[in-house]
Structure formats: C-alpha cells, structure tokens
C-alpha cells in the first residue's frame, strides 16, 4: 500500500491521556475498517454519490485522494517546518485512517528512526493490526492511543477486536491506553469490560459529539459514567475549542 499523507498540522492533542500536549499531526490514508455505523457522510469528489463511514472518512474511503510520500525526508521536513521557532518540541501524532497498516514500509520506518531522535511519537490506532515489536523494535519507543471500536461502529466483533494485537501493544509499547467515544449507555460498560478482560489497560472515556453542541450535551453524563465505573474522563478539546473546523 502506498504511503499517502492526507493532512499535517500543528495543534494540541485533544483527546486521551496526553490531551493538551503541543502536537504535530500527520494523518495517513487507509484503514482496514469502515465504521459505517457512525453515520458520518460525505459527497464523493469522484462520483458525486453520498458515502457513509467514520469521522475521518476522507482518510479512509477510496473516493478521496492524497499525495504519495516517496521518501522519509518529505515527512521530516513537514515536521521541522511546523515546529520551527517553537519554545519546545511537540509530540508527533501519527493518525489516520489506520496508520499501522504502514508499519512495515521502509519509508515509514526510516521516518520513525529519524524523528524518534528528537520527538516523542504517538500512534492513534484501532488496535487491530498486530505489530511485530521484536522485528521492528522502533515501535517499543512509541506511545499508543488505542480506540477499539464498539458495537456502534457496525463492524463485527471479529474484525474490530484483535486480542493478540492488543496484548502485544500493552506488553511492548513505551505507553498505551484505551480511549472510547461514548454516550454513557450501560451496554457500553459491558463492551468495555469485555475488552478489559482480553487486555487490561487504562481507560479514557470521551463524550460523543460531532460538533461542540453535541459534545457539551453529552459531557456531563459521560463524566459521571467514568466516575461511576472507575475510568478516566477526557475532553475532546479540539471540538470544544474549534467546533467542526478541520486541521486543528
């Protein structure tokens, strides 16, 4: 699979254990899931039809294009330009789609080898890709935010939960945690418990919200859900601050 970059930008990490951290985001194209149950829609620029999927549909669907990355220096230059003249080094957040689809690719590995010399690297992953940490030890130096998909994604349990992959990340990554976007339903607690029985890890609960109004509406109930069940609560700071704006 060609390594294609959908977007890059400087912002703050909006979700999970490291929310609020200054961050360079690199969003790569491609995913092994579709998550049509999330119901996010967009008009195809190729056919004009309405397509349905996740909230990063343009990084997932073949209806959208993104430029190919030919060498690691292209990515290094993007990071260096975005972090130029900053008071401190940002973390580098690698997201998608599902960025671990590319974890064996030479360009990807060369980029990681270089950028890890100066910046912490955080992967945002759905936790379904089994990383060979022994063959590719660079990934032991990385942080992993794992968004295991729940039933509301409309993906089958067999596709969205990979026990071997989850346990490999927990055992070998520099740090890892789960983050779930929720509506504070009892059924969500049952699903989280099932994932924790497969692989224990820290849990961060985040309110469902495609925009600021929906986020605010759900925040209190999800915070109470987290407190009741002994989980952590995370804002979705980028939505709280910038609403539906992209590239922040």
């Amino acid at each position: 699979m060609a390594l294609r970059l959908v977007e890059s930008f400087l912002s703050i990490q909006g979700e999970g254990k490291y929310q609020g951290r200054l961050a360079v985001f690199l969003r790569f194209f491609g995913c092994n899931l579709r998550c049509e149950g999330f119901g996010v829609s967009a008009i195809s620029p190729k056919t004009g039809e309405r397509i349905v999927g996740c909230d990063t549909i343009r990084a997932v669907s073949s209806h959208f294009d993104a430029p190919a990355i030919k060498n690691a220096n292209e990515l290094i230059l993007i990071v260096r330009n975005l972090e130029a003249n900053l008071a401190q080094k940002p973390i580098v957040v690698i997201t998608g789609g599902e960025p671990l689809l590319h974890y064996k690719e030479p360009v990807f590995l060369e980029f990681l080898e270089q950028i890890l010399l100066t910046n912490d690297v955080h992967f945002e992953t759905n936790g379904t890709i089994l990383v060979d940490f022994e063959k590719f030890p660079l990934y032991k130096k990385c942080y992993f935010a794992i968004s295991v998909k729940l039933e509301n994604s409309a993906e089958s349990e067999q596709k969205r939960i990979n026990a071997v992959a989850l346990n490999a990340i927990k055992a070998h990554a520099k740090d890892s945690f789960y983050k779930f976007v929720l509506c504070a339903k009892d059924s969500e607690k049952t699903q989280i418990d099932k994932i924790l029985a497969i692989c224990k890890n820290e849990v961060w609960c985040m309110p469902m919200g495609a925009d600021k109004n929906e986020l605010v509406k759900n925040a209190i109930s999800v915070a109470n859900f987290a407190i009741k069940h002994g989980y952590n609560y995370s804002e979705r700071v980028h939505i709280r601050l910038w609403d539906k704006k992209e590239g922040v």
Side-chain angles (χ1 to χ4, degrees), residues 15 180-184 204-211 214-223 233-237 239-240:
E15 299 180 342
F180 300 101
V181 175
L182 305 172
C183 296
W204 296 79
C205 300
M206 307 181 297
M208 182 75 71
D211 57 35
E214 186 182 5
L215 181 77
V216 171
K217 180 181 177 181
N218 291 326
I220 292 296
S221 60
V222 174
Y233 174 79
S234 167
E235 269 293 291
R236 302 177 74 195
V237 178
I239 297 176
R240 179 79 71 168

Side-chain angles (χ1 to χ4, degrees), residues 5-222:
L5 186 65
V6 176
E7 63 178 347
S8 57
F9 55 92
L10 177 68
S11 187
I12 56 173
Q13 173 58 274
E15 299 180 342
K17 186 174 182 178
Y18 296 93
Q19 62 185 304
R21 289 286 302 273
L22 181 68
V24 167
F25 286 81
L26 300 176
R27 185 181 303 282
F28 291 94
F29 184 87
C31 192
N32 58 332
L33 302 178
R34 290 294 173 266
C35 298
E36 294 182 355
F38 292 158
V40 177
S41 65
I43 301 299
S44 168
K46 295 182 178 179
T47 66
E49 66 185 290
R50 183 169 293 279
I51 52 176
V52 178
C54 70
D55 59 357
T56 56
I57 194 168
R58 62 197 176 97
V60 173
S61 173
S62 60
H63 287 262
F64 297 85
D65 291 319
I69 299 297
K70 298 178 181 179
N71 60 72
N73 287 335
E74 293 180 50
L75 295 173
I76 293 293
L77 185 60
I78 289 170
V79 175
R80 297 298 178 235
N81 285 339
L82 287 170
E83 69 179 12
N85 302 316
L86 298 179
Q88 64 187 50
K89 285 287 186 182
I91 62 175
V92 175
V93 179
I94 299 178
T95 188
E98 175 47 61
L100 291 179
L101 287 174
H102 311 289
Y103 91 91
K104 297 180 182 179
E105 293 187 20
V107 170
F108 205 60
L109 290 166
E110 185 181 348
F111 166 68
L112 274 183
E113 185 174 20
Q114 292 186 52
I115 205 66
L116 279 166
L117 295 173
T118 54
N119 301 72
D120 287 340
V121 174
H122 293 224
F123 279 91
E124 297 192 332
T125 175
N126 60 34
T128 63
I129 305 296
L130 176 58
V131 175
D132 187 337
F133 284 89
E134 298 307 322
K135 187 174 181 180
F136 302 99
L138 283 172
Y139 293 96
K140 294 182 180 181
K141 301 177 182 180
C142 300
Y143 301 71
F144 289 77
I146 311 167
S147 297
V148 182
K149 302 311 173 195
L150 303 180
E151 291 175 357
N152 61 0
S153 68
E155 295 284 1
S156 68
E157 185 175 311
Q158 184 179 11
K159 286 189 67 176
R160 60 186 171 80
I161 301 179
N162 185 332
V164 179
L166 294 176
N167 280 284
I169 293 172
K170 178 65 189 313
H172 297 293
K174 188 167 185 177
D175 191 22
S176 65
F177 62 92
Y178 296 129
K179 61 175 186 175
F180 300 101
V181 175
L182 305 172
C183 296
K185 297 179 179 178
D186 290 339
S187 60
E188 293 169 333
K189 170 65 165 56
T190 301
Q191 293 174 67
I192 293 172
D193 283 346
K194 188 168 188 176
I195 293 165
L196 291 175
I198 292 169
C199 179
K200 284 196 174 297
N201 213 329
E202 292 180 290
V203 172
W204 296 79
C205 300
M206 307 181 297
M208 182 75 71
D211 57 35
K212 182 178 179 179
N213 288 336
E214 186 182 5
L215 181 77
V216 171
K217 180 181 177 181
N218 291 326
I220 292 296
S221 60
V222 174

